[in-house]
Amino acid sequence: MTDPAALSQPLDAALLPAGVRARILPGVNGLAMHLLEGGHERPAAPLVLLLHGFPELAWSWRKVIPALAAAGYHVVAPDLRGYGRTTGCDTSFHGDVRQFRMFNLVIDVLCLVRALGRERVHAVVGHDFGSPLAAWCALSRPDVFAAVALMSAPFAGAPALDAFDSMKGAMDIHLALAALDRPRKHYQWYYSTPEADAHMRHCPQGLHAFLRAYYHHKSADWPGNRPEPLGGWMAAELARLPTYYIMDLHQDMAATVAPHMPGPAQVAACGWLTEAELAVYAGEFARTGFQGGLQWYRCMTAPAIATELRLLAGRRIEVPALFVAGRQDWGVYQRPGDFERMQAYALCNLRSCHLVEGAGHWVQQEQAGWVNELLLEFLASGARDA
């Protein structure tokens, strides 16, 4: 069970980089939102929001916040709904999952902006699941979010008005994956099952080891990450993806990543995620579990919820945009055609698109120096012109 007393306090200041503070901000769309913050001594400085993905936290921006704050920005990274030390929502599997639908997550971010005493955001930056959230913020409220930077997960645009029928047809992919000679399943639908949280939280190898293997498996440190575009949304093509995306049918995620646990020498050499840094993730997820983050996947894989996004069918993101991902990140191609559609259609003011060498999925941690340079260039030029 979650310990409410532990969650009522911000992250220990001793863990934070110099100049970064942690605090809890109440009154954010019903949430008490935990934030990591830099440049807070300049509350009128241009505001930059950093939105994390799964299974991560505001902590995943620890290498970015100081660099942006030093350049004169007020930088805020929240633990998003269902994560970390942010409280005020029901994260049980049988709770109200609709509170995690995308439009309500956008409202969370809008309410955060207002709770900070601001009306406008210089740029919203999202990684992994935070990337579509940042994109939907920019798509739905360009008057508030003046620019957007997306990392690792391309945004192909709002679903078409006939998306409900398309999604029902897409369900056939699961039968096709299960019918392969090596039967498989899609990780997002696995994450939507009642068992996924316990499989990871109470795995045989222990939570710290599970997260080490998971992060390693999706990073540039794992030699199998040599991504390339797929030919389409077909079982045989999706099966080319690593097993952290297209899993073996009868394995859970903890069993999937366990064979890829790095050895002691690799762990010691991992400068982008030290054992002390990993311990922060492990400590937080041991306390809260993963279900809060998994609720986001449940909303995405439920057609009756996901298709409300058709409200903005035909709309494109017009504010200045940046895309950054790791060269060794299969996430760029996991939904065939999205990377190309993002560049050709969805982001009609895309200033630049970068695949960073030496980075897999965790690009802002694996290659923080390069990411910070790209963000600062964008914030100073592309975002400034918004």
Side-chain angles (χ1 to χ4, degrees):
M1 296 291 291
T2 297
D3 180 357
L7 294 177
S8 66
Q9 299 298 319
L11 199 63
D12 187 348
L15 297 170
L16 301 176
V20 176
R21 73 173 179 180
R23 64 174 174 132
I24 293 176
L25 186 62
V28 181
N29 196 25
L31 303 173
M33 187 166 275
H34 179 248
L35 313 175
L36 299 187
E37 193 172 17
H40 43 277
E41 67 280 3
R42 299 182 303 276
L47 176 63
V48 178
L49 297 182
L50 306 176
L51 310 180
H52 67 79
F54 179 90
E56 295 184 279
L57 303 161
W59 179 246
S60 67
W61 298 105
R62 65 196 176 279
K63 302 176 187 295
V64 176
I65 298 171
L68 302 191
Y73 298 100
H74 180 198
V75 189
V76 175
D79 282 349
L80 294 166
R81 179 177 291 264
Y83 287 89
R85 293 169 185 254
T86 288
T87 58
C89 59
D90 184 353
T91 60
S92 66
F93 185 86
H94 297 291
D96 178 16
V97 72
R98 290 186 60 87
Q99 67 183 292
F100 296 89
R101 68 195 189 279
M102 185 59 70
F103 283 152
N104 199 46
L105 300 175
V106 171
I107 292 171
D108 286 348
V109 182
L110 285 167
C111 289
L112 170 60
V113 174
R114 182 60 59 87
L116 290 167
R118 309 297 284 271
E119 298 291 335
R120 191 164 169 83
V121 176
H122 188 68
V124 58
V125 182
H127 171 256
D128 184 79
F129 223 140
S131 175
L133 175 54
W136 280 101
C137 287
L139 185 67
S140 59
R141 293 301 303 267
D143 58 317
V144 175
F145 303 98
V148 63
L150 309 179
M151 295 186 186
S152 300
F155 181 70
L161 289 175
D162 63 354
F164 188 78
D165 293 333
S166 299
M167 287 187 70
K168 287 193 293 186
M171 294 302 104
D172 292 341
I173 194 67
H174 304 298
L175 297 175
L177 285 170
L180 291 172
D181 290 342
R182 178 185 175 183
R184 308 288 285 276
K185 64 187 175 188
H186 197 288
Y187 82 107
Q188 292 174 355
W189 278 262
Y190 163 75
Y191 276 164
S192 301
T193 65
E195 301 83 15
D197 173 60
H199 287 165
M200 295 182 286
R201 190 178 186 182
H202 304 300
C203 59
Q205 66 265 50
L207 186 53
H208 186 101
F210 162 68
L211 287 172
R212 172 60 74 184
Y214 188 92
Y215 294 142
H216 173 78
H217 197 15
K218 296 183 73 170
S219 77
D221 296 340
W222 187 64
N225 285 325
R226 296 196 274 283
E228 59 185 5
L230 303 181
W233 187 254
M234 302 170 287
E237 285 295 295
L238 294 181
R240 294 166 55 196
L241 291 165
T243 52
Y244 51 76
Y245 282 145
I246 303 299
M247 305 166 65
D248 286 321
L249 183 61
H250 300 296
Q251 280 199 325
D252 61 41
M253 187 58 79
T256 294
V257 302
H260 307 287
M261 177 70 179
Q266 288 176 291
V267 170
C270 186
W272 64 269
L273 185 61
T274 66
E275 283 290 87
E277 290 171 326
L278 178 60
V280 175
Y281 283 126
E284 296 298 280
F285 284 111
R287 187 160 43 240
T288 67
F290 297 93
Q291 192 60 54
L294 296 176
Q295 303 288 65
W296 294 40
Y297 288 95
R298 293 179 64 200
C299 288
M300 182 175 65
T301 59
I305 298 176
T307 54
E308 74 173 14
L309 299 173
R310 295 176 297 168
L311 177 65
L312 296 181
R315 288 282 301 272
R316 302 164 70 190
I317 293 178
E318 297 180 352
V319 302
L322 168 73
F323 182 79
V324 179
R327 177 75 69 179
Q328 287 76 43
D329 184 5
W330 273 103
V332 175
Y333 304 113
Q334 68 157 308
R335 293 193 64 87
D338 279 11
F339 185 50
E340 294 76 15
R341 180 173 171 80
M342 177 190 72
Q343 297 173 78
Y345 176 79
L347 306 183
C348 58
N349 195 359
L350 179 61
R351 299 300 177 89
S352 57
C353 181
H354 302 270
L355 298 180
V356 178
E357 294 288 351
H361 190 65
W362 322 105
V363 61
Q364 82 275 34
Q365 297 179 79
E366 295 180 65
Q367 293 294 340
W370 280 111
V371 168
N372 289 338
E373 284 191 26
L374 293 170
L375 283 174
L376 289 170
E377 179 183 4
F378 174 66
L379 294 173
S381 56
R384 182 187 61 205
D385 299 335

